[in-house]
């Protein structure tokens, strides 16, 4: 496979294999995206990416990481996303949204204000999780979700998917990675429940499977649904690659088209073996063993490296995060370096 070959996804065709990874901007008020989000996401569509996935977008106010996260829990947010998705589409990229619930990692400061839990009385809120176990010292002790709470989480994801469609998004990615709510259910380190949602593999994966099914009820068969997983917790007794492969196998028949393969985020003191393309082997293994398309992400920073991941069949797409902050034109630069043609917008032709 070639980095610049088209990638069919249901009735859509991604124009190449480079996707802008979801990245929180922590710059919204009341969950409503604004000019920053339009310019940030729009620039990366102009930059030549095949799909641009908007940051972790909360399905409910309590599902935000920080008070400044974007959301899709009301119609004001839906309306504000419309011009953004329209602009991305006009520039040949598929607009995607990552639907998310932060669980026990919610109610936090944005990173440049220090990160960590919001102190009591400073706009904090009660967080929820599978079990009443905090993320780390100094973090909120979450409330364990009861049956009604679980039903609400499923219906919030379904309603957000409906709004995503009305807002013009063409790709949904469910955020089940990085230690947020859905990942908290998957991992035995954060899920100590004794009911149908904890204990066995089937029980720990139940909430995610229910959400996939609920989203698929309202998200058209014509459009792709991706899931981001942390393939491993990098921690003894936690979620691991074997379970990720098994889960990927079960998600495919439920209508999931691709596993965006990340890692970590569940526990604060995990020992992560960082290095260039360090998560690519997880994407390759899930792709091979679960026979599902995968995305590789994490320290992929050069065109040659991105091209090799796809050429060697380790993943179907690469997701680029920080390098696309440094250079929104990364896909165009990669095309130039690798001798592929990505025509610039007509307004910019004289520069090429
Ligand atoms: C500023 C910033 C915000 C991020 N926000 C999200 C997010 O909203 N959802 C998510 O799944 N990952 C998020 N990530 C992780 C990236 O999507 C990506 O997985 C990670 O940065 C590794 O890729 P990279 O080495 O290309 O940066 C964020 C990363 C950065 C740098």
């Amino acid at each position: 496979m070639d980095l610049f070959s088209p990638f069919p996804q249901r009735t859509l065709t991604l124009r190449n294999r480079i996707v802008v990874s979801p990245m929180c901007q922590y710059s919204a008020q009341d969950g409503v995206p604004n000019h920053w989000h339009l310019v940030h996401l729009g620039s990366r569509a102009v930059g030549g990416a095949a799909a641009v996935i908007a940051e972790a977008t909360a399905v409910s106010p309590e599902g935000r990481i920080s008070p400044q996260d974007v959301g899709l829990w009301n119609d004001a947010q839906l309306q504000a996303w419309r011009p953004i998705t329209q602009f991305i589409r006009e520039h040949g990229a598929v607009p995607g949204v990552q639907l998310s619930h932060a669980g026990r990692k919610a109610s936090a400061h944005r990173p440049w204000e220090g990160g960590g839990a919001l102190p009591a009385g400073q706009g904090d809120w009660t967080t929820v999780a599978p079990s009443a176990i905090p993320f780390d010292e100094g973090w909120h002790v979450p409330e364990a979700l009861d049956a009604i709470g679980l039903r609400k989480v499923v219906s919030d994801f379904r309603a957000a998917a409906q709004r995503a469609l009305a807002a013009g998004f063409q790709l949904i990615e469910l955020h089940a990675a990085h230690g947020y709510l859905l990942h908290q259910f998957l991992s035995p380190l954060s899920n100590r429940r004794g009911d149908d949602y904890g204990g066995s593999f089937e029980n720990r994966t139940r909430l995610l499977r229910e959400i996939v099914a609920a989203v698929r009820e309202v998200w058209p068969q014509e459009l792709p649904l991706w899931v981001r997983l942390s393939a491993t917790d990098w921690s003894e007794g936690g979620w691991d690659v074997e379970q990720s492969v098994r889960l990927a196998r079960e998600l495919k028949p439920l209508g999931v088209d691709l596993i965006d393969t990340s890692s970590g985020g569940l526990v604060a003191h995990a020992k992560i073996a960082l290095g260039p393309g360090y998560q690519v082997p997880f994407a390759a293994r899930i792709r091979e063993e679960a026979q599902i398309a995968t995305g590789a992400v994490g320290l992929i920073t050069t065109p040659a490296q991105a091209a090799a991941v796809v050429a060697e069949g380790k993943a179907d797409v690469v997701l680029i995060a920080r390098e696309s902050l440094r250079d929104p034109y990364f896909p165009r630069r990669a095309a130039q370096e690798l001798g592929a043609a990505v025509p610039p917008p007509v307004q910019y032709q004289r520069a090429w």
Side-chain angles (χ1 to χ4, degrees), residues 1 277 280 283 295-296 300 303-318:
M1 287 182 299
V280 173
I300 300 171
Q305 203 191 351
V309 168
V310 175
E312 291 163 12
K314 292 182 170 155
D316 298 82
V317 299
V318 289

Side-chain angles (χ1 to χ4, degrees), residues 21-26 54-57 65 98 173 175 177-178 180 228 260 262 278-279 297-301 319-323 325-326:
S21 199
M23 281 179 281
C24 285
Q25 300 296 297
Y26 308 106
E55 66 193 84
T57 297
I65 302 165
Q98 187 186 49
E173 172 169 285
H175 198 352
H178 301 169
Y180 296 115
R228 176 167 274 198
D260 174 4
S262 189
Y278 70 109
Q279 296 171 145
V297 65
L299 291 174
I300 300 171
T301 55
L319 292 102
I320 310 288
R322 286 163 292 182
E323 188 59 23
L325 295 185
R326 291 184 282 263

